Amino acid sequence: MPLPERAFFHHPELKPLISDPDTSFFRDLDVEDIERRMEERGMERGWRHPDAVREALRNAALEGRRDRDLWIFAYGSLMWDPAIQFVEVRRAHTDQYGRSFCLWDDGARGTQEQPGLMAALDMGEGCTGLAFRIPADQIEVETEILCRRELIAPGYVCTFVELDTAQGRVEALTFVADHSAEVIVPDIPITEQARMIAHAEGLFGTAFDYLSNVKRHLDELAIEDAYIEALCALVDKERALV
């Protein structure tokens, strides 16, 4: 089902920059297939959330909120590849959190011998992203798709955050770094982050390509992020040494 034209009423410039959900790899994400492929690369089973646990986390997050439209705050790949149907998108900003490459990755974009890092939302100096509105009658279907992707394994916690938009303040569900999860390592110096990202490669490609993709899409969306700029510069220097 194509996204409705009215979804881009506030920001028509975003329409060519956001993928059709029906074409997204994440729309029909096969978690068991990914687990099998990870196992073939030597990763032990048990790294992901069982389906029942993931559903319990989703239901807990939505408790008391199913009777109204739901906003989702996207700060990473969800911005350009949301894989969910929505009826409105707004540029949005939170002062509470910032992007951080603090998610330890020894499978998707790294290995146990050479781990990489992926992005999360953690306490920081602010983050600009996109907010998507899901109508109430589509919440069950769309949040199941969303959580199958974002809660595939420990690392994120469902959190509601206040966002500032040009059209007014909204409260949105997002996925914040879970400091109780072993894969969240928030105190890695940025120089070490750069070293890890420069050299790691996993099932879905290199950590460098992942970071480069984030940077490219932020540029296309006209979103500035000083931390990402600094990290990219350090990664380029690290790769130049090889």
Side-chain angles (χ1 to χ4, degrees):
M1 180 174 65
L3 292 168
E5 288 288 336
R6 68 180 184 278
F8 300 95
F9 176 79
H10 302 302
H11 301 290
E13 77 281 2
L14 294 178
K15 185 176 180 180
L17 302 177
I18 297 176
S19 300
D20 180 353
D22 288 337
T23 67
S24 175
F25 164 79
F26 296 104
R27 185 79 183 169
D28 301 303
L29 185 65
D30 188 334
V31 176
E32 291 184 358
D33 178 62
I34 291 176
E35 184 174 44
R36 177 185 57 78
R37 293 165 67 185
M38 290 289 198
E39 189 176 12
E40 289 174 353
R41 294 176 64 92
M43 181 172 284
E44 295 182 3
R45 282 184 171 267
W47 59 270
R48 73 174 179 93
H49 279 312
D51 294 348
V53 170
R54 186 177 66 250
E55 272 295 281
L57 294 171
R58 183 180 75 89
N59 286 321
L62 295 176
E63 185 175 0
R65 297 175 181 270
R66 287 179 164 91
D67 60 346
R68 73 203 82 161
D69 291 2
L70 179 71
W71 287 95
I72 304 296
F73 180 56
Y75 57 87
S77 62
L78 281 176
M79 290 191 294
W80 55 87
D81 185 14
I84 56 172
Q85 294 288 340
F86 58 90
V87 294
E88 183 180 356
V89 59
R90 299 182 187 180
R91 293 184 181 272
H93 181 83
T94 173
D95 289 327
Q96 296 175 262
Y97 300 98
R99 293 180 185 86
S100 173
F101 272 74
C102 62
L103 179 60
W104 192 272
D105 182 3
D106 56 11
R109 299 280 178 171
T111 63
Q112 293 180 348
E113 295 75 24
Q114 181 64 72
L117 294 169
M118 295 179 70
L121 195 65
D122 203 3
M123 301 305 296
E125 298 181 355
C127 178
T128 297
L130 299 180
F132 299 108
R133 179 167 62 87
I134 302 173
D137 62 358
Q138 296 179 31
I139 284 176
E140 289 303 318
V141 170
E142 301 306 323
T143 58
E144 192 282 325
I145 292 167
L146 179 67
C147 290
R148 196 176 344 126
R149 169 186 183 172
E150 297 300 306
L151 299 178
I152 189 172
Y156 296 138
V157 58
C158 299
T159 304
F160 279 87
V161 60
E162 292 287 329
L163 301 174
D164 291 314
T165 80
Q167 295 75 35
R169 177 163 282 207
V170 300
E171 186 182 43
L173 174 66
T174 193
F175 300 90
V176 174
D178 181 0
H179 283 230
S180 70
E182 292 183 357
V183 295
I184 295 297
V185 188
D187 55 356
I188 302 174
I190 192 171
T191 51
E192 179 62 12
Q193 293 176 34
R195 188 199 64 77
M196 294 175 68
I197 292 169
H199 305 297
E201 182 174 1
L203 177 64
F204 295 122
T206 67
F208 171 73
D209 285 344
Y210 174 85
L211 172 62
S212 298
N213 196 42
V214 170
K215 172 66 165 60
R216 177 172 64 84
H217 281 96
L218 289 179
D219 289 345
E220 290 177 350
L221 292 165
I223 294 174
E224 296 182 1
D225 190 309
Y227 161 72
I228 296 296
E229 293 284 347
L231 182 58
C232 285
L234 289 171
V235 170
D236 287 343
K237 288 182 180 179
E238 180 70 28
R239 286 170 58 84
L241 297 175
V242 177

